[in-house]
Amino acid sequence: MLRVRIAITQLTPSNPTANTLSTIIPVGIVVFRATKAVSGDNLGTGEAATEMEVLDSVSGERLAAAVDRRQGGKGVFRGKWEDTKEAFDFWAKRFRQRLDEMRK
């Protein structure tokens, strides 16, 4: 049996207005590119970070651990929590894939 510990360590909603304006308006695009160049962040997008640990439930031995941070993409009229939901969906699919690989 496995014991899985998961923690959400950072959660930031997107700003749909800033995301849209920095995607379609020339001045916004320039600001977006400057922000991306300086900080590596996408302007107006949400982000989430997580930590995960898988332990043997009997011995307590650590079998796996992971830390990840995902930042949303640029797009017009994206919802406030769409980037965050996409990050959670990505992690869930990847976790399921890893469990399936371990069973083989």
Side-chain angles (χ1 to χ4, degrees):
M1 287 190 123
L2 300 176
R3 172 179 281 163
V4 179
R5 297 183 200 176
I6 299 174
I8 299 167
T9 56
Q10 181 179 346
L11 190 61
T12 307
S14 65
N15 181 330
T17 303
N19 191 356
T20 298
L21 293 177
S22 64
T23 302
I24 61 175
I25 295 177
V27 172
I29 294 169
V30 171
V31 171
F32 157 69
R33 288 187 179 152
T35 301
K36 183 75 173 172
V38 172
S39 69
D41 292 336
N42 288 331
L43 186 63
T45 62
E47 65 181 69
T50 188
E51 298 177 13
M52 188 256 324
E53 181 178 49
V54 179
L55 307 168
D56 180 297
S57 64
V58 176
S59 69
E61 177 186 358
R62 178 188 276 183
L63 303 174
V67 176
D68 194 24
R69 175 179 169 257
R70 305 215 38 97
Q71 189 175 44
K74 297 301 292 171
V76 178
F77 306 117
R78 293 174 60 86
K80 184 174 183 177
W81 293 106
E82 191 170 340
D83 295 326
T84 304
K85 181 185 178 314
E86 287 177 2
F88 290 151
D89 289 346
F90 173 84
W91 292 322
K93 286 176 188 173
R94 177 170 272 182
F95 184 64
R96 176 57 193 248
Q97 180 183 21
R98 297 290 191 249
L99 288 177
D100 288 344
E101 289 170 358
M102 291 172 58
R103 293 174 80 188
K104 294 179 183 179

